[in-house]
Amino acid sequence: MIWSNWNKADKTLLFVLVVFLFCLCLHLSYPASLMADGMLFCAEAALVGGLADWFAVTALFEKPLGFPYHTAILPRRRDSFIKSSVTLVQKEFFSKRKIFRHLERLHLMPMLLEWLDSPATKARVTDRLLIYARNLLIKEGSGQQAAAFADRFKQTLAAVEPENFFGEFGRWLSRSGRDHEILARLASYGYLKVGKPETKKAIEKYLQDYEKERTKGDFWSLLAAGFLEATNLVDLEEAAELMQKQLLAILEELAKPESKLQEELLELFYEKSLVLNLDPAFHQLLHDLKDSLLSELPIEEAVQRTFDHLRAHVAEDGARSVDSLAEHLPMLQSHLASMIEAEYQRILNLLKEDEGLRRTVGQFLYDLIARSALHAQSLVGVVVTSVLSKLTDEQLNHLVYDKVEPDLLWIRMNGSIVGAGIGLIMFVMMKFIELN
Protein backbone atom coordinates (compact mmCIF):
# COMPACT_ATOMS: atom_id res chain seq x y z
CA MET A 1 0.00 0.00 0.00
CA ILE A 2 1.37 3.44 -0.92
CA TRP A 3 2.05 5.63 2.10
CA SER A 4 0.15 8.64 0.63
CA ASN A 5 -3.02 6.52 0.39
CA TRP A 6 -2.98 5.73 4.10
CA ASN A 7 -5.44 7.62 6.27
CA LYS A 8 -4.52 9.06 9.66
CA ALA A 9 -6.06 6.11 11.55
CA ASP A 10 -3.86 3.64 9.63
CA LYS A 11 -0.83 5.83 10.25
CA THR A 12 -1.69 6.03 13.96
CA LEU A 13 -2.04 2.24 14.18
CA LEU A 14 1.30 1.78 12.43
CA PHE A 15 2.86 4.28 14.83
CA VAL A 16 1.46 2.33 17.81
CA LEU A 17 2.90 -0.90 16.38
CA VAL A 18 6.33 0.71 16.04
CA VAL A 19 6.08 2.03 19.60
CA PHE A 20 5.06 -1.44 20.80
CA LEU A 21 8.07 -3.05 19.09
CA PHE A 22 10.35 -0.40 20.54
CA CYS A 23 8.95 -0.94 24.03
CA LEU A 24 9.28 -4.70 23.63
CA CYS A 25 12.95 -4.36 22.70
CA LEU A 26 13.43 -1.96 25.59
CA HIS A 27 11.77 -4.40 28.00
CA LEU A 28 13.92 -7.31 26.75
CA SER A 29 17.00 -5.18 27.17
CA TYR A 30 16.07 -3.96 30.69
CA PRO A 31 13.78 -6.62 32.19
CA ALA A 32 14.11 -5.18 35.68
CA SER A 33 13.20 -1.62 34.64
CA LEU A 34 9.81 -0.49 35.92
CA MET A 35 9.55 2.22 33.25
CA ALA A 36 10.28 -0.21 30.42
CA ASP A 37 7.71 -2.59 31.84
CA GLY A 38 5.06 0.17 32.12
CA MET A 39 5.75 1.48 28.62
CA LEU A 40 5.37 -2.03 27.17
CA PHE A 41 2.11 -2.53 29.06
CA CYS A 42 0.66 0.75 27.76
CA ALA A 43 1.88 0.18 24.19
CA GLU A 44 0.39 -3.30 24.22
CA ALA A 45 -3.00 -1.96 25.44
CA ALA A 46 -2.91 0.80 22.79
CA LEU A 47 -2.15 -1.72 20.04
CA VAL A 48 -4.94 -4.04 21.17
CA GLY A 49 -7.43 -1.13 21.40
CA GLY A 50 -6.46 0.12 17.93
CA LEU A 51 -6.70 -3.32 16.35
CA ALA A 52 -10.05 -3.99 18.05
CA ASP A 53 -11.55 -0.73 16.78
CA TRP A 54 -10.07 -1.29 13.30
CA PHE A 55 -11.75 -4.71 13.28
CA ALA A 56 -15.07 -3.24 14.49
CA VAL A 57 -15.15 -0.39 11.98
CA THR A 58 -14.04 -2.60 9.08
CA ALA A 59 -16.65 -5.23 10.01
CA LEU A 60 -19.40 -2.69 9.33
CA PHE A 61 -18.57 -2.69 5.61
CA GLU A 62 -16.60 -5.83 4.76
CA LYS A 63 -15.02 -8.97 6.21
CA PRO A 64 -11.74 -8.04 7.95
CA LEU A 65 -9.08 -10.71 7.28
CA GLY A 66 -11.87 -12.84 5.75
CA PHE A 67 -13.57 -13.32 9.16
CA PRO A 68 -17.09 -14.53 8.22
CA TYR A 69 -19.09 -14.21 11.47
CA HIS A 70 -21.13 -11.02 11.99
CA THR A 71 -19.04 -8.99 9.59
CA ALA A 72 -19.92 -7.00 6.40
CA ILE A 73 -22.97 -5.82 8.31
CA LEU A 74 -24.11 -3.09 5.90
CA PRO A 75 -24.10 -5.33 2.75
CA ARG A 76 -25.89 -8.09 4.64
CA ARG A 77 -28.46 -5.70 6.04
CA ARG A 78 -28.87 -3.61 2.88
CA ASP A 79 -32.64 -4.27 2.65
CA SER A 80 -33.16 -3.09 6.22
CA PHE A 81 -30.87 -0.10 5.57
CA ILE A 82 -32.83 0.89 2.44
CA LYS A 83 -36.15 0.54 4.25
CA SER A 84 -34.88 2.60 7.17
CA SER A 85 -33.56 5.27 4.79
CA VAL A 86 -36.93 5.50 3.05
CA THR A 87 -38.71 5.77 6.39
CA LEU A 88 -36.28 8.46 7.52
CA VAL A 89 -36.80 10.54 4.39
CA GLN A 90 -40.58 10.15 4.36
CA LYS A 91 -41.28 10.59 8.08
CA GLU A 92 -38.61 13.13 9.00
CA PHE A 93 -37.69 15.15 5.93
CA PHE A 94 -41.19 15.07 4.36
CA SER A 95 -43.34 14.82 7.47
CA LYS A 96 -46.70 16.56 7.44
CA ARG A 97 -45.70 18.76 10.37
CA LYS A 98 -42.53 20.03 8.68
CA ILE A 99 -44.23 20.55 5.32
CA PHE A 100 -46.99 22.71 6.76
CA ARG A 101 -44.56 24.57 9.01
CA HIS A 102 -42.38 25.52 6.04
CA LEU A 103 -45.38 26.48 3.93
CA GLU A 104 -46.66 28.78 6.65
CA ARG A 105 -43.41 30.70 6.45
CA LEU A 106 -43.84 31.29 2.73
CA HIS A 107 -45.70 34.36 1.49
CA LEU A 108 -47.21 32.74 -1.57
CA MET A 109 -49.32 35.58 -2.97
CA PRO A 110 -46.60 38.30 -2.94
CA MET A 111 -44.23 35.83 -4.57
CA LEU A 112 -46.85 34.90 -7.17
CA LEU A 113 -47.75 38.52 -7.95
CA GLU A 114 -44.11 39.50 -8.28
CA TRP A 115 -43.49 36.57 -10.62
CA LEU A 116 -46.58 37.30 -12.72
CA ASP A 117 -45.71 41.01 -12.96
CA SER A 118 -42.20 40.43 -14.30
CA PRO A 119 -41.69 41.27 -18.01
CA ALA A 120 -40.19 37.85 -18.71
CA THR A 121 -43.27 36.06 -17.34
CA LYS A 122 -45.64 38.33 -19.26
CA ALA A 123 -43.77 37.68 -22.50
CA ARG A 124 -43.64 33.93 -21.88
CA VAL A 125 -47.35 33.66 -21.02
CA THR A 126 -48.33 35.85 -23.97
CA ASP A 127 -46.32 33.71 -26.38
CA ARG A 128 -47.83 30.48 -25.03
CA LEU A 129 -51.40 31.84 -25.18
CA LEU A 130 -50.79 33.16 -28.68
CA ILE A 131 -49.64 29.72 -29.82
CA TYR A 132 -52.64 28.13 -28.09
CA ALA A 133 -55.06 30.58 -29.74
CA ARG A 134 -53.51 29.96 -33.15
CA ASN A 135 -53.70 26.19 -32.76
CA LEU A 136 -57.29 26.41 -31.50
CA LEU A 137 -58.37 28.39 -34.54
CA ILE A 138 -56.81 26.12 -37.13
CA LYS A 139 -57.05 22.69 -35.54
CA GLU A 140 -58.74 19.79 -37.31
CA GLY A 141 -62.52 19.73 -37.04
CA SER A 142 -62.78 23.51 -36.73
CA GLY A 143 -66.42 23.51 -37.91
CA GLN A 144 -67.69 24.75 -34.56
CA GLN A 145 -65.21 27.63 -34.56
CA ALA A 146 -66.18 28.53 -38.13
CA ALA A 147 -69.89 28.51 -37.23
CA ALA A 148 -69.23 30.62 -34.15
CA PHE A 149 -67.20 33.15 -36.15
CA ALA A 150 -69.84 33.29 -38.86
CA ASP A 151 -72.64 33.86 -36.32
CA ARG A 152 -70.64 36.56 -34.57
CA PHE A 153 -69.91 38.24 -37.90
CA LYS A 154 -73.59 38.19 -38.85
CA GLN A 155 -74.58 39.61 -35.48
CA THR A 156 -72.04 42.40 -35.90
CA LEU A 157 -73.33 43.20 -39.38
CA ALA A 158 -76.94 43.14 -38.19
CA ALA A 159 -76.14 45.61 -35.40
CA VAL A 160 -74.42 48.07 -37.74
CA GLU A 161 -76.45 50.92 -39.18
CA PRO A 162 -75.32 51.24 -42.81
CA GLU A 163 -75.49 55.04 -42.91
CA ASN A 164 -73.38 55.28 -39.73
CA PHE A 165 -70.90 52.83 -41.20
CA PHE A 166 -70.78 54.83 -44.42
CA GLY A 167 -70.06 58.04 -42.47
CA GLU A 168 -67.46 56.40 -40.23
CA PHE A 169 -65.76 54.83 -43.23
CA GLY A 170 -65.44 58.26 -44.87
CA ARG A 171 -64.04 59.82 -41.68
CA TRP A 172 -61.56 56.93 -41.34
CA LEU A 173 -60.40 57.47 -44.92
CA SER A 174 -59.87 61.16 -44.24
CA ARG A 175 -58.10 60.75 -40.87
CA SER A 176 -55.82 57.94 -41.96
CA GLY A 177 -54.86 59.51 -45.30
CA ARG A 178 -55.95 56.35 -47.10
CA ASP A 179 -58.23 58.46 -49.36
CA HIS A 180 -55.21 60.08 -51.01
CA GLU A 181 -53.47 56.71 -51.29
CA ILE A 182 -56.52 54.98 -52.82
CA LEU A 183 -57.16 57.82 -55.27
CA ALA A 184 -53.48 57.86 -56.31
CA ARG A 185 -53.51 54.11 -56.91
CA LEU A 186 -56.74 54.28 -58.90
CA ALA A 187 -55.31 57.13 -60.96
CA SER A 188 -52.09 55.17 -61.61
CA TYR A 189 -54.10 52.12 -62.64
CA GLY A 190 -56.32 54.26 -64.89
CA TYR A 191 -53.26 55.89 -66.43
CA LEU A 192 -51.97 52.47 -67.54
CA LYS A 193 -55.34 51.51 -68.99
CA VAL A 194 -56.04 54.84 -70.75
CA GLY A 195 -52.54 54.92 -72.29
CA LYS A 196 -53.15 51.74 -74.29
CA PRO A 197 -53.95 51.91 -78.05
CA GLU A 198 -57.21 50.06 -77.42
CA THR A 199 -58.45 53.00 -75.35
CA LYS A 200 -57.82 55.43 -78.19
CA LYS A 201 -59.75 53.20 -80.59
CA ALA A 202 -62.59 52.92 -78.09
CA ILE A 203 -62.79 56.74 -77.80
CA GLU A 204 -62.76 57.12 -81.56
CA LYS A 205 -65.53 54.54 -81.94
CA TYR A 206 -67.55 56.30 -79.29
CA LEU A 207 -67.20 59.61 -81.19
CA GLN A 208 -68.26 57.91 -84.42
CA ASP A 209 -71.30 56.37 -82.78
CA TYR A 210 -72.18 59.70 -81.19
CA GLU A 211 -71.84 61.48 -84.54
CA LYS A 212 -74.12 58.94 -86.22
CA GLU A 213 -76.67 59.21 -83.42
CA ARG A 214 -76.65 63.03 -83.54
CA THR A 215 -77.12 63.28 -87.33
CA LYS A 216 -79.65 60.47 -87.69
CA GLY A 217 -82.73 61.58 -89.75
CA ASP A 218 -81.56 65.21 -90.16
CA PHE A 219 -80.68 66.12 -93.76
CA TRP A 220 -78.88 69.34 -92.97
CA SER A 221 -76.87 67.74 -90.19
CA LEU A 222 -75.84 64.91 -92.51
CA LEU A 223 -74.89 67.43 -95.16
CA ALA A 224 -72.82 69.53 -92.73
CA ALA A 225 -71.09 66.46 -91.34
CA GLY A 226 -70.25 65.21 -94.82
CA PHE A 227 -68.91 68.62 -95.78
CA LEU A 228 -66.71 68.86 -92.66
CA GLU A 229 -65.39 65.35 -93.20
CA ALA A 230 -64.70 66.01 -96.85
CA THR A 231 -62.80 69.19 -96.08
CA ASN A 232 -60.92 67.41 -93.25
CA LEU A 233 -62.07 70.05 -90.78
CA VAL A 234 -63.23 67.35 -88.30
CA ASP A 235 -60.83 64.42 -87.75
CA LEU A 236 -62.30 61.93 -85.25
CA GLU A 237 -59.01 60.06 -84.93
CA GLU A 238 -57.19 63.25 -84.01
CA ALA A 239 -59.97 64.18 -81.57
CA ALA A 240 -59.72 60.75 -79.92
CA GLU A 241 -55.96 61.18 -79.56
CA LEU A 242 -56.38 64.63 -78.01
CA MET A 243 -58.99 63.30 -75.59
CA GLN A 244 -56.70 60.42 -74.61
CA LYS A 245 -53.83 62.83 -73.94
CA GLN A 246 -56.09 65.04 -71.87
CA LEU A 247 -57.29 62.08 -69.83
CA LEU A 248 -53.70 60.96 -69.26
CA ALA A 249 -52.73 64.45 -68.06
CA ILE A 250 -55.68 64.50 -65.63
CA LEU A 251 -54.87 61.02 -64.30
CA GLU A 252 -51.19 61.91 -63.94
CA GLU A 253 -52.16 64.97 -61.92
CA LEU A 254 -54.47 62.87 -59.75
CA ALA A 255 -51.69 60.35 -59.08
CA LYS A 256 -49.41 63.04 -57.60
CA PRO A 257 -49.52 63.07 -53.77
CA GLU A 258 -51.67 65.94 -52.44
CA SER A 259 -51.92 67.69 -55.78
CA LYS A 260 -54.50 70.48 -56.20
CA LEU A 261 -56.68 68.39 -58.51
CA GLN A 262 -56.52 65.48 -56.07
CA GLU A 263 -57.58 67.68 -53.14
CA GLU A 264 -60.44 69.20 -55.15
CA LEU A 265 -61.71 65.80 -56.24
CA LEU A 266 -61.62 64.42 -52.69
CA GLU A 267 -63.36 67.52 -51.36
CA LEU A 268 -66.08 67.08 -53.99
CA PHE A 269 -66.33 63.38 -53.10
CA TYR A 270 -66.85 64.06 -49.37
CA GLU A 271 -69.34 66.83 -50.15
CA LYS A 272 -71.44 64.62 -52.41
CA SER A 273 -71.09 61.67 -49.99
CA LEU A 274 -72.56 63.81 -47.20
CA VAL A 275 -75.47 64.79 -49.40
CA LEU A 276 -75.96 61.20 -50.48
CA ASN A 277 -75.88 59.96 -46.88
CA LEU A 278 -78.85 62.24 -46.09
CA ASP A 279 -80.95 60.79 -48.88
CA PRO A 280 -83.68 58.37 -47.53
CA ALA A 281 -83.59 56.40 -50.77
CA PHE A 282 -79.87 55.81 -50.29
CA HIS A 283 -80.54 54.66 -46.71
CA GLN A 284 -83.12 52.17 -47.92
CA LEU A 285 -80.69 50.91 -50.55
CA LEU A 286 -78.01 50.35 -47.91
CA HIS A 287 -80.43 48.47 -45.63
CA ASP A 288 -81.57 46.28 -48.50
CA LEU A 289 -77.97 45.57 -49.40
CA LYS A 290 -77.14 44.67 -45.77
CA ASP A 291 -80.13 42.31 -45.51
CA SER A 292 -79.15 40.70 -48.79
CA LEU A 293 -75.57 40.17 -47.59
CA LEU A 294 -76.75 38.61 -44.34
CA SER A 295 -79.11 36.22 -46.05
CA GLU A 296 -77.17 35.25 -49.17
CA LEU A 297 -73.46 35.48 -48.42
CA PRO A 298 -71.90 32.05 -47.56
CA ILE A 299 -70.07 33.49 -44.56
CA GLU A 300 -69.69 30.20 -42.69
CA GLU A 301 -68.32 28.44 -45.78
CA ALA A 302 -65.88 31.29 -46.38
CA VAL A 303 -64.66 31.18 -42.77
CA GLN A 304 -64.27 27.40 -42.93
CA ARG A 305 -62.24 27.65 -46.14
CA THR A 306 -60.10 30.33 -44.52
CA PHE A 307 -59.39 28.00 -41.60
CA ASP A 308 -58.54 25.18 -44.00
CA HIS A 309 -56.10 27.39 -45.90
CA LEU A 310 -54.55 28.62 -42.65
CA ARG A 311 -54.13 25.04 -41.43
CA ALA A 312 -52.46 24.05 -44.71
CA HIS A 313 -50.08 27.03 -44.50
CA VAL A 314 -49.24 26.28 -40.88
CA ALA A 315 -48.47 22.66 -41.75
CA GLU A 316 -46.17 23.77 -44.58
CA ASP A 317 -44.47 26.42 -42.46
CA GLY A 318 -44.10 24.00 -39.55
CA ALA A 319 -41.95 21.79 -41.76
CA ARG A 320 -39.72 24.83 -42.37
CA SER A 321 -39.74 25.90 -38.70
CA VAL A 322 -41.40 29.20 -39.58
CA ASP A 323 -44.05 31.07 -37.57
CA SER A 324 -47.01 31.29 -39.96
CA LEU A 325 -48.71 34.25 -38.30
CA ALA A 326 -45.50 36.29 -38.13
CA GLU A 327 -44.71 35.59 -41.80
CA HIS A 328 -48.14 35.76 -43.47
CA LEU A 329 -50.41 37.63 -41.03
CA PRO A 330 -48.22 39.96 -38.94
CA MET A 331 -51.11 42.39 -38.28
CA LEU A 332 -53.33 39.57 -36.99
CA GLN A 333 -50.52 38.31 -34.77
CA SER A 334 -49.93 41.80 -33.41
CA HIS A 335 -53.65 42.27 -32.75
CA LEU A 336 -53.95 38.92 -30.96
CA ALA A 337 -50.84 39.64 -28.90
CA SER A 338 -52.23 43.04 -27.89
CA MET A 339 -55.55 41.49 -26.86
CA ILE A 340 -53.83 38.79 -24.79
CA GLU A 341 -51.51 41.32 -23.12
CA ALA A 342 -54.46 43.58 -22.25
CA GLU A 343 -56.47 40.69 -20.74
CA TYR A 344 -53.41 39.45 -18.84
CA GLN A 345 -52.84 42.91 -17.34
CA ARG A 346 -56.53 43.27 -16.47
CA ILE A 347 -56.54 39.94 -14.61
CA LEU A 348 -53.29 40.87 -12.82
CA ASN A 349 -54.70 44.24 -11.73
CA LEU A 350 -57.87 42.55 -10.51
CA LEU A 351 -55.77 40.10 -8.49
CA LYS A 352 -53.81 42.98 -6.94
CA GLU A 353 -56.87 45.06 -6.03
CA ASP A 354 -59.37 42.41 -4.88
CA GLU A 355 -58.40 41.19 -1.40
CA GLY A 356 -61.02 38.44 -1.37
CA LEU A 357 -59.75 37.06 -4.68
CA ARG A 358 -56.16 37.14 -3.41
CA ARG A 359 -57.17 35.24 -0.28
CA THR A 360 -59.03 32.63 -2.34
CA VAL A 361 -56.14 32.14 -4.76
CA GLY A 362 -53.63 32.02 -1.90
CA GLN A 363 -55.61 29.36 -0.07
CA PHE A 364 -55.90 27.35 -3.26
CA LEU A 365 -52.14 27.52 -3.84
CA TYR A 366 -51.44 26.60 -0.22
CA ASP A 367 -53.71 23.53 -0.41
CA LEU A 368 -52.32 22.54 -3.80
CA ILE A 369 -48.67 22.72 -2.72
CA ALA A 370 -49.36 21.01 0.62
CA ARG A 371 -51.26 18.14 -0.98
CA SER A 372 -48.61 17.78 -3.69
CA ALA A 373 -45.87 17.68 -1.06
CA LEU A 374 -47.73 15.06 0.96
CA HIS A 375 -48.28 12.93 -2.11
CA ALA A 376 -44.57 13.31 -2.84
CA GLN A 377 -43.82 11.20 0.23
CA SER A 378 -44.61 7.97 -1.59
CA LEU A 379 -42.82 9.18 -4.72
CA VAL A 380 -39.70 10.05 -2.73
CA GLY A 381 -39.81 6.58 -1.17
CA VAL A 382 -39.94 4.99 -4.60
CA VAL A 383 -37.04 7.14 -5.83
CA VAL A 384 -34.85 6.41 -2.78
CA THR A 385 -35.61 2.69 -2.98
CA SER A 386 -34.84 2.58 -6.70
CA VAL A 387 -31.55 4.47 -6.35
CA LEU A 388 -30.23 2.53 -3.37
CA SER A 389 -31.29 -0.87 -4.77
CA LYS A 390 -29.23 -0.30 -7.92
CA LEU A 391 -26.03 0.29 -5.94
CA THR A 392 -23.50 -2.52 -5.59
CA ASP A 393 -22.21 -3.48 -2.14
CA GLU A 394 -19.02 -1.55 -2.77
CA GLN A 395 -20.92 1.56 -3.94
CA LEU A 396 -23.23 1.35 -0.92
CA ASN A 397 -20.22 1.07 1.41
CA HIS A 398 -18.60 4.11 -0.16
CA LEU A 399 -21.87 6.05 0.00
CA VAL A 400 -22.13 5.56 3.77
CA TYR A 401 -18.40 5.58 4.58
CA ASP A 402 -17.74 8.85 2.72
CA LYS A 403 -20.37 10.61 4.84
CA VAL A 404 -18.95 9.46 8.22
CA GLU A 405 -15.28 8.87 7.38
CA PRO A 406 -13.82 11.48 9.80
CA ASP A 407 -15.83 10.06 12.71
CA LEU A 408 -14.89 6.48 11.91
CA LEU A 409 -11.22 7.40 11.70
CA TRP A 410 -11.40 9.08 15.10
CA ILE A 411 -13.12 5.98 16.52
CA ARG A 412 -10.13 3.91 15.44
CA MET A 413 -7.63 6.47 16.76
CA ASN A 414 -9.53 6.75 20.01
CA GLY A 415 -9.20 2.98 20.42
CA SER A 416 -5.42 3.31 20.61
CA ILE A 417 -5.56 6.43 22.79
CA VAL A 418 -8.11 5.01 25.22
CA GLY A 419 -6.33 1.64 25.19
CA ALA A 420 -3.05 3.31 26.18
CA GLY A 421 -4.81 5.25 28.94
CA ILE A 422 -6.55 2.16 30.31
CA GLY A 423 -3.30 0.21 30.11
CA LEU A 424 -1.52 2.90 32.15
CA ILE A 425 -4.27 2.89 34.80
CA MET A 426 -4.27 -0.91 35.01
CA PHE A 427 -0.46 -1.02 35.28
CA VAL A 428 -0.46 1.50 38.09
CA MET A 429 -3.22 -0.37 39.94
CA MET A 430 -1.39 -3.70 39.52
CA LYS A 431 1.83 -2.25 40.93
CA PHE A 432 -0.05 -0.60 43.76
CA ILE A 433 -1.65 -3.95 44.68
CA GLU A 434 1.74 -5.71 44.53
CA LEU A 435 3.28 -3.19 46.89
CA ASN A 436 0.47 -3.60 49.41
Side-chain angles (χ1 to χ4, degrees):
M1 181 179 293
I2 302 176
W3 176 257
S4 60
N5 293 334
W6 286 33
N7 55 53
K8 57 185 178 181
D10 294 332
K11 294 176 181 178
T12 301
L13 186 59
L14 179 61
F15 174 75
V16 171
L17 176 61
V18 172
V19 171
F20 170 75
L21 295 176
F22 173 77
C23 292
L24 179 60
C25 293
L26 189 64
H27 175 71
L28 294 176
S29 301
Y30 304 96
S33 173
L34 180 63
M35 181 178 293
D37 197 16
M39 290 177 61
L40 177 62
F41 197 92
C42 292
E44 183 179 1
L47 182 61
V48 171
L51 288 172
D53 283 355
W54 166 80
F55 186 90
V57 170
T58 305
L60 293 173
F61 305 99
E62 55 190 38
K63 298 178 180 180
L65 304 177
F67 193 81
Y69 302 105
H70 300 288
T71 54
I73 296 174
L74 183 60
R76 287 195 301 108
R77 301 283 184 175
R78 62 179 297 137
D79 293 337
S80 299
F81 173 78
I82 293 174
K83 186 180 297 184
S84 300
S85 300
V86 171
T87 303
L88 177 66
V89 172
Q90 289 180 327
K91 301 302 181 182
E92 293 299 326
F93 298 158
F94 283 88
S95 66
K96 182 178 180 180
R97 175 175 53 84
K98 289 188 176 181
I99 289 173
F100 280 90
R101 188 174 61 189
H102 284 295
L103 287 178
E104 289 172 355
R105 298 175 182 172
L106 296 177
H107 302 287
L108 294 177
M109 282 309 301
M111 294 170 59
L112 176 64
L113 290 175
E114 182 180 0
W115 180 74
L116 290 175
D117 204 17
S118 66
T121 303
K122 289 182 180 180
R124 194 158 49 243
V125 173
T126 300
D127 291 342
R128 296 306 304 172
L129 291 177
L130 187 62
I131 294 173
Y132 175 77
R134 181 195 66 188
N135 295 338
L136 181 64
L137 289 176
I138 60 176
K139 70 177 182 178
E140 290 287 348
S142 55
Q144 294 181 350
Q145 289 88 340
F149 270 90
D151 291 340
R152 185 63 180 272
F153 186 67
K154 289 180 180 180
Q155 293 174 8
T156 304
L157 282 180
V160 172
E161 291 295 333
E163 52 271 17
N164 294 337
F165 173 76
F166 189 74
E168 287 294 333
F169 181 70
R171 284 189 287 273
W172 174 77
L173 285 176
S174 179
R175 287 195 304 267
S176 64
R178 293 295 179 89
D179 49 359
H180 293 81
E181 181 182 347
I182 293 174
L183 182 58
R185 290 191 178 186
L186 289 175
S188 299
Y189 178 77
Y191 186 89
L192 295 176
K193 291 294 183 181
V194 171
K196 292 183 178 181
E198 294 83 357
T199 305
K200 177 183 175 183
K201 293 180 180 179
I203 296 174
E204 184 178 354
K205 185 176 184 306
Y206 172 78
L207 292 176
Q208 292 174 354
D209 294 340
Y210 175 76
E211 183 68 21
K212 290 178 182 179
E213 183 67 24
R214 190 173 63 83
T215 58
K216 184 185 298 184
D218 189 345
F219 172 76
W220 295 108
S221 297
L222 287 172
L223 182 62
F227 175 75
L228 291 174
E229 186 176 356
T231 57
N232 202 23
L233 292 177
V234 176
D235 189 348
L236 296 181
E237 183 179 358
E238 184 178 355
E241 184 177 355
L242 291 175
M243 291 179 65
Q244 184 184 34
K245 290 181 179 180
Q246 188 64 27
L247 285 174
L248 289 174
I250 293 173
L251 291 172
E252 185 177 7
E253 182 69 16
L254 284 176
K256 293 180 180 179
E258 300 182 358
S259 64
K260 182 179 180 181
L261 182 60
Q262 190 182 82
E263 296 291 342
E264 291 176 352
L265 183 60
L266 288 174
E267 183 178 352
L268 179 63
F269 169 77
Y270 289 124
E271 180 182 347
K272 295 303 179 181
S273 297
L274 183 61
V275 174
L276 184 63
N277 200 29
L278 298 176
D279 187 356
F282 179 69
H283 289 182
Q284 185 61 40
L285 175 63
L286 290 179
H287 280 279
D288 293 342
L289 179 61
K290 184 187 76 172
D291 295 338
S292 176
L293 288 174
L294 290 176
S295 60
E296 297 181 6
L297 280 180
I299 298 177
E300 183 174 344
E301 181 182 354
V303 174
Q304 183 61 54
R305 289 185 177 181
T306 301
F307 283 171
D308 293 339
H309 286 301
L310 281 175
R311 186 164 54 251
H313 277 297
V314 169
E316 294 175 0
D317 293 336
R320 300 187 292 117
S321 300
V322 175
D323 189 343
S324 302
L325 288 182
E327 182 173 356
H328 302 297
L329 299 169
M331 294 185 64
L332 175 60
Q333 185 191 38
S334 176
H335 184 63
L336 284 175
S338 299
M339 290 175 56
I340 293 173
E341 289 175 359
E343 287 300 314
Y344 180 89
Q345 191 62 45
R346 186 179 69 83
I347 295 174
L348 185 58
N349 292 336
L350 181 62
L351 194 59
K352 291 179 179 179
E353 298 168 0
D354 193 331
E355 184 177 354
L357 180 60
R358 284 202 309 275
R359 188 163 48 250
T360 302
V361 174
Q363 185 62 40
F364 169 75
L365 289 175
Y366 181 85
D367 292 341
L368 178 64
I369 296 174
R371 292 177 184 275
S372 300
L374 290 176
H375 283 294
Q377 283 185 335
S378 58
L379 179 61
V380 169
V382 172
V383 172
V384 173
T385 303
S386 176
V387 172
L388 295 180
S389 298
K390 292 179 179 178
L391 297 178
T392 64
D393 290 346
E394 184 179 358
Q395 291 173 333
L396 185 62
N397 288 339
H398 280 295
L399 176 66
V400 177
Y401 184 81
D402 291 342
K403 300 298 182 294
V404 294
E405 181 181 12
D407 297 319
L408 295 178
L409 294 179
W410 272 107
I411 289 174
R412 291 177 54 190
M413 293 166 64
N414 288 339
S416 298
I417 297 172
V418 173
I422 293 175
L424 178 61
I425 294 173
M426 291 181 64
F427 181 78
V428 173
M429 291 178 61
M430 289 171 58
K431 293 302 178 181
F432 180 76
I433 293 171
E434 289 178 359
L435 292 175
N436 294 326

